[in-house]
Amino acid sequence: MSVFYIYLIQPKFAMEKLQCIIVDDDEIDRLTVMSYTKKFPQLHVVGVYASAKEALSMLQRMDSKIDVLFLDIDMPGESGIDLRKKAAEVPVCIFITAHPEHAVESFELDTLDFIVKPLKLDRFTQTINRIDEFMEIRQKALLFESSIGGDTIYIKEGHVQTKV
């Protein structure tokens, strides 16, 4: 009896930089997140905003897609949670806040991570690793979904590979 292994061949390619925005009403916190993002070459900050209203206005005007939101929760006017509800199409949301009581509510909105201030580099690094893992899995899932409709399958029996 022969055992057949069916697998998909997927091209390896470098992941593009992740387009990010930072939204926090506190200037020191904005600058801290900005300085930390500069330590990670896979991140590209395309905007830094002091309010959810400013960020939402930019998101509605912008042609390119945003991959990551770094959001404070408690801000004057609309909160970071309000912004996340309106920007649900952004795949990754990281809340950075001094209000841990909002954690449960934030995770109901597809939050990838929740960091309690003050922000430290080692904790931020953990978050970036989590983002990298998430985006890699997401990319593989998209490739797999696109290959389902493809017309090539490779079958491997022992050392012999057959293209079907």
Side-chain angles (χ1 to χ4, degrees), residues 29-156:
D29 291 334
R30 286 192 308 271
L31 292 172
T32 301
V33 175
M34 183 68 168
S35 72
Y36 287 173
T37 59
K38 289 181 180 181
K39 297 179 185 300
F40 297 92
Q42 68 271 43
L43 302 178
H44 175 68
V45 176
V46 295
V48 180
Y49 305 95
S51 73
K53 183 178 179 180
E54 289 175 19
L56 186 58
S57 175
M58 181 281 306
L59 285 169
Q60 291 169 341
R61 289 189 324 263
M62 203 169 166
D63 291 335
S64 65
K65 70 178 187 71
I66 298 298
D67 300 299
V68 182
L69 298 171
F70 292 103
L71 301 178
D72 185 16
I73 288 182
D74 189 30
M75 296 183 284
E78 291 189 73
S79 71
I81 288 180
D82 294 332
L83 176 57
R84 178 59 178 158
K85 288 176 183 175
K86 293 176 181 176
E89 73 282 353
V90 177
V92 175
C93 179
I94 309 299
F95 281 107
I96 304 172
T97 182
H99 300 280
E101 65 272 13
H102 294 291
V104 172
E105 182 181 7
S106 75
F107 280 106
E108 292 172 356
L109 302 172
D110 294 327
T111 299
L112 186 66
D113 207 352
F114 188 96
I115 303 172
V116 178
K117 292 177 184 177
L119 182 60
K120 303 285 187 219
L121 182 57
D122 61 335
R123 179 63 179 89
F124 190 78
T125 301
Q126 289 175 349
T127 296
I128 300 309
N129 291 336
R130 192 171 285 167
I131 291 170
D132 289 343
E133 289 172 12
F134 173 80
M135 294 306 274
E136 181 179 344
I137 290 168
R138 184 172 185 262
Q139 183 178 17
K140 287 178 181 178
L142 291 171
L143 286 171
F144 178 73
E145 286 178 13
S146 68
S147 71
I148 297 282
D151 55 4
T152 304
I153 295 178
Y154 291 89
I155 299 174
K156 184 175 181 181

